[in-house]
Amino acid sequence: MSKLLIVGTVAFDAIETPFGKTDKILGGAGTYIGLSAAQFNVDSAVVSVVGDDFPQKYLDLLTNNNINIEGIEIVEGGKTFFWSGRYHNDLNTRDTLDTQLNVLADFQPIVPSAYKDANIVMLGNLHPLVQLSVLEQIENPKLVVLDTMNFWMDNTWEDLLKVIKKVDVITINDEEARQLSGEHSLVKAARKIYELGPDYVVIKKGEHGALLFHQEEIFFAPALPLEEVFDPTGAGDTFAGGFAGYLAKTNDISFENMKNAIIYGSNLASFCVEKFGTERMQELSATDVQGRLEEFKKLTQFEIEIT
Amino acid sequence: MSKLLIVGTVAFDAIETPFGKTDKILGGAGTYIGLSAAQFNVDSAVVSVVGDDFPQKYLDLLTNNNINIEGIEIVEGGKTFFWSGRYHNDLNTRDTLDTQLNVLADFQPIVPSAYKDANIVMLGNLHPLVQLSVLEQIENPKLVVLDTMNFWMDNTWEDLLKVIKKVDVITINDEEARQLSGEHSLVKAARKIYELGPDYVVIKKGEHGALLFHQEEIFFAPALPLEEVFDPTGAGDTFAGGFAGYLAKTNDISFENMKNAIIYGSNLASFCVEKFGTERMQELSATDVQGRLEEFKKLTQFEIEIT
């Protein structure tokens, strides 16, 4: 088994969906990635920063999931990053109501010494210079996965290109792939993105699934059709955590195994959206995940003889 | 092998896409369905109507594809149905520039006597009363597939419900499924649509693939990611023709075989969009289709042991 090093926000979210609203609850990309990867019982650590307003019970939750939190700095007198958003009726779009960077504004990530030899590095969505700083502290990673978003393309283009150049896998959504590449066709977009650095491009399409591109190969994982999506917050991070966690567990970064990894990513994301915040991920069992894997097989596998 | 009876428009289209525009070319749902099903060398007939302005070479094209055209009425002095449309840059939306019903306005479909015992009936997108009239002429069909669209939901709701009640499979797009059912979740939408009549619901999502629902089972066929979509006209009809044609060829209407049928539908639709109108479908070989089937397998098949 490999060591998995995760960098990402550990934060408070306040969420409104058509089904209800929450006060400040546990959120953040690092949290979702960590909880998702924890399903594989991997040796993982989260690098992040919180204020001293961050409840011990949330830190305990991570620890209880075998996530090393040595790399989560607690800033005395600081306030934890806070995001608040309201989803529209179709849950495909949302408005940000409030963003308070707080301690995130001056975040200087420090990778715990026991994880400087991590094999798999998952750079969650953050300022590209923070992602770069983490990468510089890792000795010889086997695979680096980058998650990012349009905000960094709009505001920190040059820095983003620097980190993209150093990663093996990039995960972005379809509109971001188009923005990054200038190509509408996702096939052409992936090819342009290879030129920026990554050998593997994962394009997330939300309820429409995810595509994995490598050279001339393409693999597709659908999203599981659900009766109800309750809260999409964290689905992309949970997907990334499942992807990285499965690769860390199996210690196999072949394209064939990455196919399985994005199926597991979709699998875990399908749970994340069933309840508010991290609630569903906290109560998730291995049996749940295996049962849903069976559903993914039924959903996608077919038998046609090639004549 | 079963007999396949198709009803649908045989028409002229004039198409504008970001890549170019055409004069009046061969189009119509019946044409696309027929050419697509012809890939399976099934015994098929198209029921439709054209004016005497319709070129013999287009009729010959159908005949040369082993499509019986006895049921295509030629109205002396009449003009053929004409549709003209312009696609937007992303090719996902289009504006109708002109619709001339012409001979379609008074279309009274007549099923050739040799096809009154058709096993598979494919009711292409048309006025629901025309679809009903065809259905009433068929003696004892094994499977009836209905394609329809929002236009009929908006304008002929009661008639549409009458035909929906009599069919086994309905194919509509995601927005139409929501409109028909009043449910946003496609899982819930399919369940509501079962109550209207069909045992199988196929929801087409264009570039995002297609879902097949039956009782509590779901199967998903992705669209093949393409470098370039040239002209989406007829893709939905080609999908339906591949679906019905494969079922007719195999004479097996089990859910397991329907999975294969929607893979073939997606397969054939992926060719349709590569050139203007029916151009690509006219030159398509069995080798092309088998090669792409291999691509669909690579795109979707994975090996994970359920533990």
Side-chain angles (χ1 to χ4, degrees):
Chain A
M1 194 184 293
S2 318
K3 276 186 195 170
L4 172 62
L5 192 277
I6 298 159
V7 60
T9 53
V10 171
F12 292 128
D13 286 347
I15 302 161
E16 281 185 56
T17 81
F19 306 104
K21 61 186 288 187
T22 69
D23 289 328
K24 278 186 178 182
I25 57 171
L26 174 63
T31 305
Y32 282 103
I33 295 168
L35 290 176
S36 184
Q39 282 295 322
F40 302 100
N41 298 311
V42 291
D43 182 1
S44 71
V46 170
V47 172
S48 196
V49 64
V50 294
D52 62 7
D53 59 344
F54 196 72
Q56 184 61 38
K57 67 173 178 180
Y58 288 164
L59 294 171
D60 291 346
L61 171 71
L62 298 178
T63 309
N64 292 341
N65 277 279
N66 282 319
I67 300 165
N68 182 303
I69 60 164
E70 250 181 284
I72 302 183
E73 183 191 358
I74 301 169
V75 178
E76 293 302 320
K79 288 182 72 182
T80 301
F81 173 55
F82 171 69
W83 174 83
S84 167
R86 182 189 294 134
Y87 287 88
H88 299 171
N89 274 336
D90 67 358
L91 292 174
N92 285 327
T93 49
R94 68 186 187 192
D95 297 322
T96 289
L97 302 177
D98 193 6
T99 306
Q100 298 171 19
L101 281 183
N102 299 330
V103 295
L104 199 64
D106 302 310
F107 178 34
Q108 303 285 340
I110 296 169
V111 175
S113 54
Y115 288 87
K116 288 185 189 293
D117 63 349
N119 316 71
I120 311 275
V121 181
M122 177 70 232
L123 303 171
N125 175 42
L126 269 176
H127 195 299
L129 291 182
V130 172
Q131 295 174 318
L132 263 181
S133 163
V134 167
L135 257 195
E136 282 162 2
Q137 298 173 57
I138 308 286
E139 281 153 17
N140 188 23
K142 191 168 163 183
L143 191 82
V144 179
V145 184
L146 172 79
D147 189 42
T148 188
M149 68 183 294
N150 53 358
F151 180 83
W152 310 113
M153 296 177 197
D154 294 336
N155 295 292
T156 61
W157 179 255
E158 293 300 326
D159 293 332
L160 180 62
L161 288 184
K162 277 181 212 158
V163 66
I164 287 176
K165 200 173 173 181
K166 291 178 183 290
V167 307
D168 303 294
V169 186
I170 183 171
T171 76
I172 43 180
N173 74 26
D174 41 359
E175 284 319 307
E176 290 156 355
R178 288 175 174 132
Q179 182 176 351
L180 187 58
S181 65
E183 292 285 350
H184 181 77
S185 154
L186 298 179
V187 176
K188 288 186 177 176
R191 256 183 233 146
K192 282 257 178 98
I193 295 169
Y194 297 152
E195 292 171 17
L196 302 177
D199 284 335
Y200 302 86
V201 176
V202 176
I203 299 181
K204 301 174 288 184
K205 304 199 297 173
E207 61 170 325
H208 300 304
L211 288 157
L212 167 66
F213 292 88
H214 174 57
Q215 296 172 356
E216 293 299 304
E217 306 252 32
I218 314 177
F219 181 69
F220 176 78
L224 196 70
L226 295 172
E227 271 192 58
E228 210 65 84
V229 171
F230 198 78
D231 172 18
T233 308
D237 301 313
T238 301
F239 173 87
F243 178 81
Y246 182 78
L247 294 178
K249 178 195 176 193
T250 53
N251 200 19
D252 171 358
I253 59 167
S254 67
F255 180 72
E256 284 306 310
N257 199 49
M258 279 194 196
K259 292 181 177 181
N260 297 349
I262 78 160
I263 291 288
Y264 268 108
S266 295
N267 183 333
L268 289 160
S270 77
F271 288 106
C272 175
V273 302
E274 288 185 336
K275 293 195 175 179
F276 267 123
T278 60
E279 200 179 336
R280 186 70 180 94
M281 296 309 289
Q282 289 185 39
E283 65 188 23
L284 195 59
S285 75
T287 312
D288 294 334
V289 177
Q290 291 303 309
R292 199 151 280 187
L293 184 56
E294 192 56 54
E295 289 187 61
F296 271 88
K297 284 196 167 187
K298 284 187 183 168
L299 184 66
T300 58
Q301 306 300 288
F302 61 89
E303 303 279 347
I304 304 180
E305 290 305 309
I306 309 275
T307 54
Chain B
M1 193 184 294
S2 318
K3 276 186 194 171
L4 171 64
L5 191 277
I6 298 160
V7 60
T9 53
V10 171
F12 291 129
D13 287 346
I15 302 160
E16 281 185 57
T17 81
F19 306 104
K21 59 186 288 186
T22 69
D23 290 328
K24 278 186 179 182
I25 58 171
L26 175 61
T31 306
Y32 282 102
I33 294 169
L35 289 176
S36 184
Q39 282 295 322
F40 302 100
N41 298 309
V42 290
D43 181 0
S44 71
V46 170
V47 172
S48 194
V49 63
V50 295
D52 63 6
D53 58 345
F54 196 73
Q56 184 62 38
K57 67 172 179 181
Y58 287 164
L59 293 171
D60 293 345
L61 170 70
L62 298 178
T63 308
N64 293 340
N65 278 277
N66 282 318
I67 301 165
N68 182 301
I69 60 164
E70 250 181 285
I72 302 183
E73 183 192 358
I74 301 169
V75 178
E76 292 302 320
K79 287 181 74 181
T80 300
F81 172 56
F82 172 69
W83 174 82
S84 168
R86 182 190 293 135
Y87 287 88
H88 298 171
N89 275 336
D90 67 1
L91 292 174
N92 285 327
T93 49
R94 67 187 186 190
D95 297 322
T96 289
L97 302 177
D98 194 5
T99 307
Q100 297 172 18
L101 281 183
N102 299 330
V103 294
L104 199 63
D106 302 309
F107 178 35
Q108 303 284 341
I110 297 169
V111 175
S113 54
Y115 289 87
K116 288 186 191 293
D117 64 349
N119 316 71
I120 311 274
V121 180
M122 176 70 232
L123 303 172
N125 175 42
L126 268 176
H127 195 297
L129 292 182
V130 172
Q131 295 175 318
L132 264 183
S133 163
V134 166
L135 215 42
E136 282 161 2
Q137 297 172 58
I138 307 285
E139 282 154 17
N140 188 22
K142 190 169 164 182
L143 191 82
V144 179
V145 183
L146 172 78
D147 189 42
T148 188
M149 69 183 292
N150 53 358
F151 180 83
W152 309 113
M153 296 178 198
D154 295 336
N155 295 290
T156 62
W157 179 256
E158 292 300 326
D159 292 332
L160 181 61
L161 288 183
K162 278 182 210 158
V163 66
I164 287 176
K165 198 173 175 181
K166 291 177 182 291
V167 307
D168 304 294
V169 186
I170 183 170
T171 77
I172 43 181
N173 75 26
D174 41 359
E175 284 318 307
E176 290 156 354
R178 289 175 173 133
Q179 183 175 351
L180 188 57
S181 66
E183 293 285 350
H184 182 77
S185 153
L186 297 179
V187 175
K188 289 186 175 176
R191 254 183 236 149
K192 282 259 179 95
I193 295 168
Y194 296 154
E195 292 171 17
L196 302 177
D199 285 334
Y200 302 87
V201 176
V202 176
I203 299 180
K204 302 174 287 185
K205 304 199 298 172
E207 63 171 322
H208 300 304
L211 288 157
L212 167 65
F213 292 87
H214 175 56
Q215 296 172 356
E216 293 300 304
E217 305 251 33
I218 314 177
F219 182 69
F220 176 78
L224 196 71
L226 295 171
E227 272 192 55
E228 208 66 84
V229 171
F230 198 78
D231 171 19
T233 309
D237 301 314
T238 301
F239 173 87
F243 178 80
Y246 182 78
L247 293 178
K249 178 195 175 192
T250 53
N251 199 19
D252 171 358
I253 59 168
S254 67
F255 181 72
E256 284 306 308
N257 199 49
M258 278 195 195
K259 292 180 178 182
N260 297 349
I262 79 161
I263 292 289
Y264 268 108
S266 294
N267 182 333
L268 288 160
S270 76
F271 289 106
C272 175
V273 302
E274 288 184 336
K275 293 194 174 179
F276 266 123
T278 60
E279 200 179 335
R280 186 70 181 94
M281 295 309 290
Q282 288 185 40
E283 66 189 22
L284 195 59
S285 75
T287 312
D288 293 334
V289 177
Q290 290 304 309
R292 199 151 280 187
L293 183 56
E294 192 56 54
E295 289 186 62
F296 270 88
K297 285 196 168 188
K298 284 187 183 169
L299 184 65
T300 58
Q301 306 300 287
F302 61 90
E303 303 278 347
I304 305 181
E305 290 306 309
I306 310 274
T307 53

